[in-house]
Amino acid sequence: MSIYPTVNFQEIQPLNKTLDTKVLNEDGEHLSDQGGAIDAPIQLANGSNHYIRLSAFKNDKRIDQENKCLLPGSFTTTMEDFMTLMVNRQMPGSVPHMHDPLERYALPSILPINWVFNIQPKQNDEFQQGIVQAGFGRHGGGIECYFAKGTSLHTFIPPPVEFS
Amino acid sequence: MTMKTQFITIPERFSQKLLQLPESGMGYQIVKVKLNSGRIFDHLKVFNATLLEWWENEPINTQDIIKLDLASI
């Protein structure tokens, strides 16, 4: 056992990540029953839908570039939620969590999102889908998908596209 | 109290370890770091399994990191 006390970064710079935080929808209504993806039931991909991974890094390491797939334990959003983000980026006056990926997906980084990775899981690839919970001082509210087992080979559709 | 932070690249062996572990969210993992001095730092963030967010005024030699695991919630 260490003789030194554990420094909990939360005490110095609170993460402000509350597991029971209620999320508001666009109408201001609480999505009180909508938890994050890891709390959601497992469902099977239909083989047609696309999922989007947003990243600050062109060499995102959760994308297996050799086998063209998503590593186990990785998150994406849905194509629909990504398109909501993109549409709102064109709308003047939209609130930050509707057009800013850092806000919508409650990402703790100060690094900007620069890259978009298109994933099309094979039929029966397992995933869980939920609502991004507020955290790190950010709103959340976007859709997140968690692939505990990753995706099948050749489900990443290259190349990554620059996010603007 | 908010401190300025910087990004440092963690040793490759820890990157490879983190890639075997689940993300905490899209693109990041919340981790606990132990240094060879015995000091433990909890709830730090690692991005892309490579960049550790560290305090700007806290010197560190990444070779001093002897253990890095996902933080418990």
Side-chain angles (χ1 to χ4, degrees):
Chain A
M1 185 171 72
S2 172
I3 62 172
Y4 295 98
T6 298
V7 177
N8 190 319
F9 194 56
Q10 279 186 300
E11 296 169 356
I12 299 174
Q13 189 171 46
L15 294 177
N16 194 31
K17 192 174 178 83
T18 306
L19 295 177
D20 295 328
T21 298
K22 303 295 189 287
V23 177
L24 301 178
N25 65 11
E26 286 79 345
D27 296 322
E29 298 166 351
H30 287 284
L31 301 171
S32 58
D33 294 327
Q34 306 243 355
I38 59 173
D39 299 320
I42 293 171
Q43 51 183 304
L44 302 179
N46 62 14
S48 301
N49 290 349
H50 290 250
Y51 297 80
I52 296 296
R53 180 171 172 86
L54 297 170
S55 180
F57 307 93
K58 188 177 184 182
N59 68 336
D60 189 293
K61 289 182 179 291
R62 301 304 291 209
I63 301 290
D64 181 339
Q65 295 281 357
E66 182 178 345
N67 295 303
K68 302 288 187 289
C69 61
L70 192 64
L71 289 185
S74 301
F75 281 86
T76 71
T77 185
T78 61
M79 176 61 82
E80 289 77 14
D81 201 71
F82 173 67
M83 293 310 298
T84 296
L85 187 80
M86 296 304 288
V87 165
N88 278 279
R89 287 173 75 79
Q90 310 301 321
M91 294 175 63
S94 70
V95 292
H97 71 273
M98 293 302 292
H99 68 253
D100 181 352
L102 296 180
E103 282 289 336
R104 190 166 183 81
Y105 305 112
L107 302 178
S109 177
I110 60 172
L111 300 171
I113 295 299
N114 287 323
W115 298 97
V116 179
F117 295 82
N118 187 351
I119 312 288
Q120 187 179 19
K122 294 272 197 294
Q123 190 173 21
N124 296 328
D125 278 350
E126 295 180 356
F127 72 101
Q128 296 157 269
Q129 182 167 314
I131 300 294
V132 178
Q133 304 298 290
F136 308 108
R138 294 196 159 133
H139 185 280
I143 294 175
E144 62 178 12
C145 298
Y146 178 67
F147 292 82
K149 297 180 180 179
T151 59
S152 296
L153 302 185
H154 305 294
T155 48
F156 161 56
I157 303 172
V161 176
E162 282 194 77
F163 178 79
S164 57
Chain B
M1 177 174 72
T2 301
M3 291 184 174
K4 282 192 175 179
T5 58
Q6 59 177 324
F7 293 108
I8 60 173
T9 301
I10 61 177
E12 180 64 19
R13 67 184 187 279
F14 293 123
S15 287
Q16 291 303 314
K17 179 179 182 179
L18 287 179
L19 290 174
Q20 305 295 318
L21 298 171
E23 293 188 300
S24 307
M26 192 157 51
Y28 70 94
Q29 289 162 298
I30 306 299
V31 303
K32 179 189 286 190
V33 170
K34 182 176 182 179
L35 304 183
N36 56 12
S37 65
R39 297 180 75 192
I40 298 172
F41 298 84
D42 203 357
H43 285 85
L44 302 183
K45 302 163 209 157
V46 174
F47 302 96
N48 203 29
T50 55
L51 296 181
L52 173 68
E53 189 177 49
W54 191 258
W55 294 269
E56 197 173 75
N57 60 354
E58 179 79 25
I60 182 174
N61 182 333
T62 56
Q63 301 307 314
D64 293 339
I65 300 174
I66 59 171
K67 195 173 182 184
L68 192 154
D69 288 299
L70 294 184
S72 50
I73 297 174

mmCIF file of all heavy atoms in Angstrom, chain A residues 32-81:
data_model
loop_
_atom_site.group_PDB
_atom_site.id
_atom_site.type_symbol
_atom_site.label_atom_id
_atom_site.label_comp_id
_atom_site.label_asym_id
_atom_site.label_seq_id
_atom_site.Cartn_x
_atom_site.Cartn_y
_atom_site.Cartn_z
ATOM 1 N N SER A 32 -35.561 11.869 -18.599
ATOM 2 C CA SER A 32 -35.161 11.267 -17.338
ATOM 3 C C SER A 32 -34.941 9.767 -17.439
ATOM 4 O O SER A 32 -34.243 9.198 -16.624
ATOM 5 C CB SER A 32 -36.213 11.560 -16.267
ATOM 6 O OG SER A 32 -37.462 11.079 -16.679
ATOM 7 N N ASP A 33 -35.493 9.127 -18.434
ATOM 8 C CA ASP A 33 -35.312 7.685 -18.547
ATOM 9 C C ASP A 33 -34.248 7.328 -19.558
ATOM 10 O O ASP A 33 -34.036 6.158 -19.846
ATOM 11 C CB ASP A 33 -36.640 7.028 -18.949
ATOM 12 C CG ASP A 33 -37.688 7.181 -17.851
ATOM 13 O OD1 ASP A 33 -37.295 7.182 -16.674
ATOM 14 O OD2 ASP A 33 -38.866 7.316 -18.180
ATOM 15 N N GLN A 34 -33.605 8.319 -20.121
ATOM 16 C CA GLN A 34 -32.640 8.040 -21.174
ATOM 17 C C GLN A 34 -31.236 8.154 -20.600
ATOM 18 O O GLN A 34 -30.734 9.240 -20.360
ATOM 19 C CB GLN A 34 -32.821 9.032 -22.318
ATOM 20 C CG GLN A 34 -34.236 9.084 -22.842
ATOM 21 C CD GLN A 34 -34.324 8.643 -24.285
ATOM 22 O OE1 GLN A 34 -33.326 8.381 -24.913
ATOM 23 N NE2 GLN A 34 -35.528 8.567 -24.808
ATOM 24 N N GLY A 35 -30.626 6.997 -20.371
ATOM 25 C CA GLY A 35 -29.266 6.992 -19.859
ATOM 26 C C GLY A 35 -28.266 6.912 -20.977
ATOM 27 O O GLY A 35 -28.594 6.960 -22.157
ATOM 28 N N GLY A 36 -27.023 6.745 -20.577
ATOM 29 C CA GLY A 36 -25.956 6.635 -21.546
ATOM 30 C C GLY A 36 -25.961 5.274 -22.216
ATOM 31 O O GLY A 36 -26.690 4.354 -21.827
ATOM 32 N N ALA A 37 -25.110 5.143 -23.212
ATOM 33 C CA ALA A 37 -25.101 3.922 -24.013
ATOM 34 C C ALA A 37 -24.747 2.686 -23.201
ATOM 35 O O ALA A 37 -25.335 1.608 -23.400
ATOM 36 C CB ALA A 37 -24.138 4.082 -25.185
ATOM 37 N N ILE A 38 -23.792 2.818 -22.277
ATOM 38 C CA ILE A 38 -23.352 1.617 -21.565
ATOM 39 C C ILE A 38 -24.426 1.060 -20.645
ATOM 40 O O ILE A 38 -24.324 -0.079 -20.192
ATOM 41 C CB ILE A 38 -22.053 1.866 -20.777
ATOM 42 C CG1 ILE A 38 -22.230 2.978 -19.759
ATOM 43 C CG2 ILE A 38 -20.894 2.155 -21.710
ATOM 44 C CD1 ILE A 38 -21.040 3.152 -18.839
ATOM 45 N N ASP A 39 -25.464 1.870 -20.367
ATOM 46 C CA ASP A 39 -26.573 1.394 -19.537
ATOM 47 C C ASP A 39 -27.710 0.832 -20.378
ATOM 48 O O ASP A 39 -28.714 0.365 -19.833
ATOM 49 C CB ASP A 39 -27.106 2.545 -18.679
ATOM 50 C CG ASP A 39 -26.044 3.092 -17.744
ATOM 51 O OD1 ASP A 39 -25.286 2.284 -17.184
ATOM 52 O OD2 ASP A 39 -25.965 4.330 -17.589
ATOM 53 N N ALA A 40 -27.572 0.915 -21.691
ATOM 54 C CA ALA A 40 -28.662 0.533 -22.588
ATOM 55 C C ALA A 40 -28.579 -0.950 -22.945
ATOM 56 O O ALA A 40 -27.514 -1.565 -22.833
ATOM 57 C CB ALA A 40 -28.585 1.372 -23.864
ATOM 58 N N PRO A 41 -29.699 -1.527 -23.363
ATOM 59 C CA PRO A 41 -29.664 -2.927 -23.779
ATOM 60 C C PRO A 41 -28.873 -3.101 -25.076
ATOM 61 O O PRO A 41 -28.758 -2.173 -25.880
ATOM 62 C CB PRO A 41 -31.148 -3.258 -24.007
ATOM 63 C CG PRO A 41 -31.806 -1.956 -24.235
ATOM 64 C CD PRO A 41 -31.037 -0.942 -23.443
ATOM 65 N N ILE A 42 -28.344 -4.285 -25.236
ATOM 66 C CA ILE A 42 -27.597 -4.600 -26.447
ATOM 67 C C ILE A 42 -28.581 -4.787 -27.596
ATOM 68 O O ILE A 42 -29.618 -5.442 -27.448
ATOM 69 C CB ILE A 42 -26.762 -5.875 -26.259
ATOM 70 C CG1 ILE A 42 -25.660 -5.618 -25.225
ATOM 71 C CG2 ILE A 42 -26.147 -6.338 -27.581
ATOM 72 C CD1 ILE A 42 -24.912 -6.858 -24.801
ATOM 73 N N GLN A 43 -28.242 -4.192 -28.726
ATOM 74 C CA GLN A 43 -29.035 -4.411 -29.927
ATOM 75 C C GLN A 43 -28.112 -4.775 -31.067
ATOM 76 O O GLN A 43 -26.897 -4.641 -30.955
ATOM 77 C CB GLN A 43 -29.899 -3.188 -30.254
ATOM 78 C CG GLN A 43 -29.188 -1.866 -30.308
ATOM 79 C CD GLN A 43 -30.162 -0.720 -30.567
ATOM 80 O OE1 GLN A 43 -30.898 -0.713 -31.557
ATOM 81 N NE2 GLN A 43 -30.153 0.280 -29.698
ATOM 82 N N LEU A 44 -28.711 -5.260 -32.139
ATOM 83 C CA LEU A 44 -27.917 -5.740 -33.265
ATOM 84 C C LEU A 44 -27.994 -4.770 -34.435
ATOM 85 O O LEU A 44 -29.066 -4.291 -34.782
ATOM 86 C CB LEU A 44 -28.419 -7.123 -33.707
ATOM 87 C CG LEU A 44 -28.403 -8.215 -32.638
ATOM 88 C CD1 LEU A 44 -28.945 -9.522 -33.200
ATOM 89 C CD2 LEU A 44 -26.999 -8.419 -32.092
ATOM 90 N N ALA A 45 -26.839 -4.502 -35.025
ATOM 91 C CA ALA A 45 -26.812 -3.645 -36.204
ATOM 92 C C ALA A 45 -27.542 -4.337 -37.344
ATOM 93 O O ALA A 45 -27.542 -5.574 -37.448
ATOM 94 C CB ALA A 45 -25.376 -3.346 -36.598
ATOM 95 N N ASN A 46 -28.153 -3.533 -38.219
ATOM 96 C CA ASN A 46 -28.896 -4.118 -39.326
ATOM 97 C C ASN A 46 -28.073 -4.262 -40.587
ATOM 98 O O ASN A 46 -28.544 -4.789 -41.579
ATOM 99 C CB ASN A 46 -30.165 -3.302 -39.615
ATOM 100 C CG ASN A 46 -29.860 -1.867 -40.035
ATOM 101 O OD1 ASN A 46 -28.723 -1.517 -40.372
ATOM 102 N ND2 ASN A 46 -30.879 -1.019 -39.993
ATOM 103 N N GLY A 47 -26.833 -3.805 -40.525
ATOM 104 C CA GLY A 47 -25.964 -3.959 -41.681
ATOM 105 C C GLY A 47 -26.075 -2.834 -42.688
ATOM 106 O O GLY A 47 -25.250 -2.734 -43.605
ATOM 107 N N SER A 48 -27.073 -1.966 -42.519
ATOM 108 C CA SER A 48 -27.276 -0.859 -43.459
ATOM 109 C C SER A 48 -26.913 0.485 -42.853
ATOM 110 O O SER A 48 -26.408 1.371 -43.552
ATOM 111 C CB SER A 48 -28.743 -0.815 -43.910
ATOM 112 O OG SER A 48 -29.119 -2.023 -44.532
ATOM 113 N N ASN A 49 -27.196 0.633 -41.587
ATOM 114 C CA ASN A 49 -27.001 1.935 -40.950
ATOM 115 C C ASN A 49 -25.525 2.291 -40.815
ATOM 116 O O ASN A 49 -24.675 1.418 -40.644
ATOM 117 C CB ASN A 49 -27.655 1.962 -39.566
ATOM 118 C CG ASN A 49 -29.172 1.961 -39.654
ATOM 119 O OD1 ASN A 49 -29.745 2.145 -40.733
ATOM 120 N ND2 ASN A 49 -29.819 1.747 -38.533
ATOM 121 N N HIS A 50 -25.265 3.581 -40.887
ATOM 122 C CA HIS A 50 -23.913 4.095 -40.705
ATOM 123 C C HIS A 50 -23.811 4.778 -39.351
ATOM 124 O O HIS A 50 -24.773 5.363 -38.853
ATOM 125 C CB HIS A 50 -23.573 5.108 -41.804
ATOM 126 C CG HIS A 50 -23.411 4.500 -43.158
ATOM 127 N ND1 HIS A 50 -22.185 4.415 -43.787
ATOM 128 C CD2 HIS A 50 -24.309 3.931 -44.000
ATOM 129 C CE1 HIS A 50 -22.344 3.831 -44.976
ATOM 130 N NE2 HIS A 50 -23.614 3.527 -45.118
ATOM 131 N N TYR A 51 -22.615 4.735 -38.788
ATOM 132 C CA TYR A 51 -22.332 5.362 -37.516
ATOM 133 C C TYR A 51 -21.085 6.222 -37.697
ATOM 134 O O TYR A 51 -20.223 5.917 -38.524
ATOM 135 C CB TYR A 51 -22.116 4.295 -36.424
ATOM 136 C CG TYR A 51 -23.355 3.484 -36.200
ATOM 137 C CD1 TYR A 51 -23.686 2.448 -37.072
ATOM 138 C CD2 TYR A 51 -24.241 3.789 -35.161
ATOM 139 C CE1 TYR A 51 -24.859 1.734 -36.917
ATOM 140 C CE2 TYR A 51 -25.399 3.076 -34.989
ATOM 141 C CZ TYR A 51 -25.710 2.049 -35.873
ATOM 142 O OH TYR A 51 -26.869 1.351 -35.719
ATOM 143 N N ILE A 52 -21.042 7.283 -36.942
ATOM 144 C CA ILE A 52 -19.977 8.264 -37.137
ATOM 145 C C ILE A 52 -19.142 8.398 -35.878
ATOM 146 O O ILE A 52 -19.673 8.565 -34.774
ATOM 147 C CB ILE A 52 -20.563 9.637 -37.501
ATOM 148 C CG1 ILE A 52 -21.304 9.575 -38.843
ATOM 149 C CG2 ILE A 52 -19.475 10.699 -37.525
ATOM 150 C CD1 ILE A 52 -20.414 9.263 -40.032
ATOM 151 N N ARG A 53 -17.859 8.300 -36.064
ATOM 152 C CA ARG A 53 -16.934 8.576 -34.966
ATOM 153 C C ARG A 53 -16.256 9.906 -35.263
ATOM 154 O O ARG A 53 -15.677 10.086 -36.343
ATOM 155 C CB ARG A 53 -15.900 7.459 -34.826
ATOM 156 C CG ARG A 53 -14.919 7.705 -33.682
ATOM 157 C CD ARG A 53 -14.050 6.507 -33.412
ATOM 158 N NE ARG A 53 -12.999 6.809 -32.463
ATOM 159 C CZ ARG A 53 -13.139 6.737 -31.133
ATOM 160 N NH1 ARG A 53 -14.287 6.365 -30.603
ATOM 161 N NH2 ARG A 53 -12.133 7.023 -30.342
ATOM 162 N N LEU A 54 -16.346 10.827 -34.299
ATOM 163 C CA LEU A 54 -15.722 12.138 -34.424
ATOM 164 C C LEU A 54 -14.434 12.152 -33.620
ATOM 165 O O LEU A 54 -14.398 11.639 -32.493
ATOM 166 C CB LEU A 54 -16.674 13.228 -33.916
ATOM 167 C CG LEU A 54 -17.978 13.348 -34.716
ATOM 168 C CD1 LEU A 54 -18.954 14.284 -33.997
ATOM 169 C CD2 LEU A 54 -17.712 13.841 -36.110
ATOM 170 N N SER A 55 -13.400 12.737 -34.165
ATOM 171 C CA SER A 55 -12.106 12.670 -33.502
ATOM 172 C C SER A 55 -11.269 13.918 -33.786
ATOM 173 O O SER A 55 -11.405 14.561 -34.827
ATOM 174 C CB SER A 55 -11.343 11.431 -33.975
ATOM 175 O OG SER A 55 -10.074 11.329 -33.360
ATOM 176 N N ALA A 56 -10.384 14.213 -32.830
ATOM 177 C CA ALA A 56 -9.410 15.281 -33.046
ATOM 178 C C ALA A 56 -8.227 14.773 -33.868
ATOM 179 O O ALA A 56 -7.404 15.567 -34.321
ATOM 180 C CB ALA A 56 -8.919 15.817 -31.707
ATOM 181 N N PHE A 57 -8.163 13.457 -34.057
ATOM 182 C CA PHE A 57 -6.968 12.840 -34.612
ATOM 183 C C PHE A 57 -7.259 12.100 -35.905
ATOM 184 O O PHE A 57 -8.148 11.236 -35.947
ATOM 185 C CB PHE A 57 -6.366 11.873 -33.595
ATOM 186 C CG PHE A 57 -6.115 12.488 -32.251
ATOM 187 C CD1 PHE A 57 -7.067 12.416 -31.248
ATOM 188 C CD2 PHE A 57 -4.931 13.159 -31.985
ATOM 189 C CE1 PHE A 57 -6.858 12.988 -30.015
ATOM 190 C CE2 PHE A 57 -4.705 13.741 -30.752
ATOM 191 C CZ PHE A 57 -5.672 13.658 -29.764
ATOM 192 N N LYS A 58 -6.468 12.402 -36.932
ATOM 193 C CA LYS A 58 -6.595 11.658 -38.181
ATOM 194 C C LYS A 58 -6.170 10.213 -37.970
ATOM 195 O O LYS A 58 -6.696 9.297 -38.599
ATOM 196 C CB LYS A 58 -5.755 12.306 -39.280
ATOM 197 C CG LYS A 58 -5.989 11.717 -40.655
ATOM 198 C CD LYS A 58 -5.201 12.443 -41.715
ATOM 199 C CE LYS A 58 -5.526 11.891 -43.109
ATOM 200 N NZ LYS A 58 -4.724 12.574 -44.166
ATOM 201 N N ASN A 59 -5.203 10.004 -37.065
ATOM 202 C CA ASN A 59 -4.749 8.648 -36.764
ATOM 203 C C ASN A 59 -5.473 8.118 -35.525
ATOM 204 O O ASN A 59 -4.855 7.544 -34.622
ATOM 205 C CB ASN A 59 -3.231 8.625 -36.522
ATOM 206 C CG ASN A 59 -2.845 9.345 -35.243
ATOM 207 O OD1 ASN A 59 -3.573 10.222 -34.766
ATOM 208 N ND2 ASN A 59 -1.724 8.973 -34.656
ATOM 209 N N ASP A 60 -6.785 8.308 -35.490
ATOM 210 C CA ASP A 60 -7.560 7.843 -34.341
ATOM 211 C C ASP A 60 -7.270 6.364 -34.083
ATOM 212 O O ASP A 60 -7.491 5.504 -34.942
ATOM 213 C CB ASP A 60 -9.055 8.040 -34.602
ATOM 214 C CG ASP A 60 -9.898 7.785 -33.369
ATOM 215 O OD1 ASP A 60 -9.953 6.633 -32.916
ATOM 216 O OD2 ASP A 60 -10.493 8.744 -32.864
ATOM 217 N N LYS A 61 -6.801 6.074 -32.874
ATOM 218 C CA LYS A 61 -6.290 4.728 -32.605
ATOM 219 C C LYS A 61 -7.387 3.710 -32.310
ATOM 220 O O LYS A 61 -7.108 2.523 -32.197
ATOM 221 C CB LYS A 61 -5.284 4.776 -31.458
ATOM 222 C CG LYS A 61 -3.982 5.461 -31.871
ATOM 223 C CD LYS A 61 -2.983 5.472 -30.749
ATOM 224 C CE LYS A 61 -1.677 6.122 -31.174
ATOM 225 N NZ LYS A 61 -0.941 5.327 -32.146
ATOM 226 N N ARG A 62 -8.615 4.174 -32.192
ATOM 227 C CA ARG A 62 -9.705 3.216 -32.010
ATOM 228 C C ARG A 62 -10.208 2.696 -33.363
ATOM 229 O O ARG A 62 -11.098 1.848 -33.403
ATOM 230 C CB ARG A 62 -10.872 3.840 -31.244
ATOM 231 C CG ARG A 62 -10.542 4.374 -29.864
ATOM 232 C CD ARG A 62 -9.930 3.422 -28.889
ATOM 233 N NE ARG A 62 -10.788 2.373 -28.409
ATOM 234 C CZ ARG A 62 -10.653 1.806 -27.205
ATOM 235 N NH1 ARG A 62 -9.716 2.214 -26.377
ATOM 236 N NH2 ARG A 62 -11.466 0.831 -26.852
ATOM 237 N N ILE A 63 -9.663 3.222 -34.416
ATOM 238 C CA ILE A 63 -9.949 2.708 -35.753
ATOM 239 C C ILE A 63 -8.778 1.811 -36.148
ATOM 240 O O ILE A 63 -7.632 2.267 -36.231
ATOM 241 C CB ILE A 63 -10.097 3.845 -36.789
ATOM 242 C CG1 ILE A 63 -11.214 4.810 -36.402
ATOM 243 C CG2 ILE A 63 -10.311 3.260 -38.189
ATOM 244 C CD1 ILE A 63 -12.604 4.250 -36.507
ATOM 245 N N ASP A 64 -9.055 0.552 -36.358
ATOM 246 C CA ASP A 64 -8.036 -0.385 -36.832
ATOM 247 C C ASP A 64 -7.913 -0.177 -38.337
ATOM 248 O O ASP A 64 -8.752 -0.638 -39.107
ATOM 249 C CB ASP A 64 -8.467 -1.811 -36.501
ATOM 250 C CG ASP A 64 -7.453 -2.858 -36.930
ATOM 251 O OD1 ASP A 64 -6.633 -2.564 -37.809
ATOM 252 O OD2 ASP A 64 -7.506 -3.969 -36.394
ATOM 253 N N GLN A 65 -6.865 0.555 -38.720
ATOM 254 C CA GLN A 65 -6.716 0.926 -40.133
ATOM 255 C C GLN A 65 -6.399 -0.285 -41.010
ATOM 256 O O GLN A 65 -6.754 -0.323 -42.177
ATOM 257 C CB GLN A 65 -5.605 1.969 -40.268
ATOM 258 C CG GLN A 65 -5.898 3.296 -39.590
ATOM 259 C CD GLN A 65 -6.832 4.195 -40.399
ATOM 260 O OE1 GLN A 65 -7.225 3.857 -41.506
ATOM 261 N NE2 GLN A 65 -7.179 5.340 -39.834
ATOM 262 N N GLU A 66 -5.734 -1.273 -40.420
ATOM 263 C CA GLU A 66 -5.347 -2.449 -41.206
ATOM 264 C C GLU A 66 -6.558 -3.323 -41.510
ATOM 265 O O GLU A 66 -6.767 -3.752 -42.643
ATOM 266 C CB GLU A 66 -4.293 -3.244 -40.447
ATOM 267 C CG GLU A 66 -3.787 -4.464 -41.204
ATOM 268 C CD GLU A 66 -2.703 -5.211 -40.450
ATOM 269 O OE1 GLU A 66 -2.154 -4.639 -39.486
ATOM 270 O OE2 GLU A 66 -2.427 -6.368 -40.817
ATOM 271 N N ASN A 67 -7.362 -3.564 -40.491
ATOM 272 C CA ASN A 67 -8.517 -4.437 -40.660
ATOM 273 C C ASN A 67 -9.799 -3.671 -40.968
ATOM 274 O O ASN A 67 -10.853 -4.266 -41.159
ATOM 275 C CB ASN A 67 -8.713 -5.285 -39.399
ATOM 276 C CG ASN A 67 -7.559 -6.237 -39.180
ATOM 277 O OD1 ASN A 67 -7.247 -7.041 -40.051
ATOM 278 N ND2 ASN A 67 -6.902 -6.135 -38.034
ATOM 279 N N LYS A 68 -9.686 -2.329 -40.965
ATOM 280 C CA LYS A 68 -10.822 -1.476 -41.311
ATOM 281 C C LYS A 68 -12.022 -1.774 -40.407
ATOM 282 O O LYS A 68 -13.111 -2.184 -40.861
ATOM 283 C CB LYS A 68 -11.218 -1.636 -42.796
ATOM 284 C CG LYS A 68 -10.087 -1.334 -43.769
ATOM 285 C CD LYS A 68 -9.794 0.149 -43.813
ATOM 286 C CE LYS A 68 -8.791 0.508 -44.906
ATOM 287 N NZ LYS A 68 -7.409 0.046 -44.581
ATOM 288 N N CYS A 69 -11.805 -1.577 -39.089
ATOM 289 C CA CYS A 69 -12.896 -1.817 -38.162
ATOM 290 C C CYS A 69 -12.689 -0.980 -36.907
ATOM 291 O O CYS A 69 -11.646 -0.347 -36.735
ATOM 292 C CB CYS A 69 -12.990 -3.300 -37.802
ATOM 293 S SG CYS A 69 -11.539 -3.945 -36.990
ATOM 294 N N LEU A 70 -13.703 -0.994 -36.065
ATOM 295 C CA LEU A 70 -13.666 -0.250 -34.810
ATOM 296 C C LEU A 70 -13.213 -1.194 -33.703
ATOM 297 O O LEU A 70 -13.677 -2.330 -33.612
ATOM 298 C CB LEU A 70 -15.075 0.269 -34.521
ATOM 299 C CG LEU A 70 -15.295 1.301 -33.422
ATOM 300 C CD1 LEU A 70 -14.593 2.601 -33.747
ATOM 301 C CD2 LEU A 70 -16.801 1.537 -33.249
ATOM 302 N N LEU A 71 -12.285 -0.733 -32.859
ATOM 303 C CA LEU A 71 -11.807 -1.573 -31.774
ATOM 304 C C LEU A 71 -12.902 -1.784 -30.732
ATOM 305 O O LEU A 71 -13.770 -0.917 -30.546
ATOM 306 C CB LEU A 71 -10.602 -0.923 -31.103
ATOM 307 C CG LEU A 71 -9.293 -0.889 -31.885
ATOM 308 C CD1 LEU A 71 -8.186 -0.323 -31.011
ATOM 309 C CD2 LEU A 71 -8.911 -2.241 -32.431
ATOM 310 N N PRO A 72 -12.860 -2.906 -30.015
ATOM 311 C CA PRO A 72 -13.806 -3.131 -28.921
ATOM 312 C C PRO A 72 -13.730 -2.020 -27.890
ATOM 313 O O PRO A 72 -12.656 -1.483 -27.599
ATOM 314 C CB PRO A 72 -13.336 -4.472 -28.336
ATOM 315 C CG PRO A 72 -12.647 -5.157 -29.464
ATOM 316 C CD PRO A 72 -11.978 -4.067 -30.238
ATOM 317 N N GLY A 73 -14.900 -1.701 -27.350
ATOM 318 C CA GLY A 73 -14.954 -0.698 -26.288
ATOM 319 C C GLY A 73 -14.922 0.734 -26.790
ATOM 320 O O GLY A 73 -14.498 1.632 -26.061
ATOM 321 N N SER A 74 -15.388 0.943 -28.014
ATOM 322 C CA SER A 74 -15.316 2.269 -28.636
ATOM 323 C C SER A 74 -16.702 2.873 -28.838
ATOM 324 O O SER A 74 -17.684 2.165 -29.001
ATOM 325 C CB SER A 74 -14.603 2.182 -29.990
ATOM 326 O OG SER A 74 -13.299 1.661 -29.849
ATOM 327 N N PHE A 75 -16.705 4.202 -28.871
ATOM 328 C CA PHE A 75 -17.954 4.955 -29.020
ATOM 329 C C PHE A 75 -18.047 5.594 -30.407
ATOM 330 O O PHE A 75 -17.052 5.979 -31.021
ATOM 331 C CB PHE A 75 -18.009 6.090 -27.993
ATOM 332 C CG PHE A 75 -18.390 5.673 -26.606
ATOM 333 C CD1 PHE A 75 -17.422 5.211 -25.728
ATOM 334 C CD2 PHE A 75 -19.703 5.753 -26.177
ATOM 335 C CE1 PHE A 75 -17.768 4.828 -24.440
ATOM 336 C CE2 PHE A 75 -20.053 5.379 -24.885
ATOM 337 C CZ PHE A 75 -19.081 4.916 -24.015
ATOM 338 N N THR A 76 -19.291 5.719 -30.851
ATOM 339 C CA THR A 76 -19.597 6.517 -32.037
ATOM 340 C C THR A 76 -20.891 7.278 -31.745
ATOM 341 O O THR A 76 -21.453 7.168 -30.659
ATOM 342 C CB THR A 76 -19.853 5.640 -33.282
ATOM 343 O OG1 THR A 76 -21.120 4.965 -33.139
ATOM 344 C CG2 THR A 76 -18.763 4.603 -33.501
ATOM 345 N N THR A 77 -21.336 8.031 -32.744
ATOM 346 C CA THR A 77 -22.707 8.513 -32.715
ATOM 347 C C THR A 77 -23.411 7.917 -33.938
ATOM 348 O O THR A 77 -22.796 7.185 -34.719
ATOM 349 C CB THR A 77 -22.781 10.053 -32.708
ATOM 350 O OG1 THR A 77 -24.149 10.460 -32.568
ATOM 351 C CG2 THR A 77 -22.228 10.663 -33.987
ATOM 352 N N THR A 78 -24.677 8.215 -34.088
ATOM 353 C CA THR A 78 -25.399 7.717 -35.265
ATOM 354 C C THR A 78 -25.224 8.706 -36.412
ATOM 355 O O THR A 78 -24.914 9.889 -36.200
ATOM 356 C CB THR A 78 -26.894 7.572 -34.979
ATOM 357 O OG1 THR A 78 -27.428 8.866 -34.634
ATOM 358 C CG2 THR A 78 -27.141 6.587 -33.842
ATOM 359 N N MET A 79 -25.452 8.228 -37.623
ATOM 360 C CA MET A 79 -25.403 9.120 -38.770
ATOM 361 C C MET A 79 -26.486 10.200 -38.626
ATOM 362 O O MET A 79 -26.242 11.366 -38.948
ATOM 363 C CB MET A 79 -25.619 8.331 -40.061
ATOM 364 C CG MET A 79 -25.675 9.198 -41.320
ATOM 365 S SD MET A 79 -24.151 10.129 -41.625
ATOM 366 C CE MET A 79 -23.163 8.862 -42.413
ATOM 367 N N GLU A 80 -27.633 9.813 -38.110
ATOM 368 C CA GLU A 80 -28.732 10.770 -37.967
ATOM 369 C C GLU A 80 -28.345 11.895 -37.000
ATOM 370 O O GLU A 80 -28.612 13.069 -37.261
ATOM 371 C CB GLU A 80 -30.000 10.071 -37.460
ATOM 372 C CG GLU A 80 -30.660 9.149 -38.473
ATOM 373 C CD GLU A 80 -29.946 7.824 -38.644
ATOM 374 O OE1 GLU A 80 -29.079 7.482 -37.792
ATOM 375 O OE2 GLU A 80 -30.232 7.122 -39.629
ATOM 376 N N ASP A 81 -27.743 11.538 -35.886
ATOM 377 C CA ASP A 81 -27.373 12.560 -34.918
ATOM 378 C C ASP A 81 -26.263 13.442 -35.474
ATOM 379 O O ASP A 81 -26.242 14.656 -35.238
ATOM 380 C CB ASP A 81 -26.919 11.918 -33.607
ATOM 381 C CG ASP A 81 -27.024 12.885 -32.445
ATOM 382 O OD1 ASP A 81 -28.156 13.187 -32.032
ATOM 383 O OD2 ASP A 81 -25.977 13.362 -31.956
#
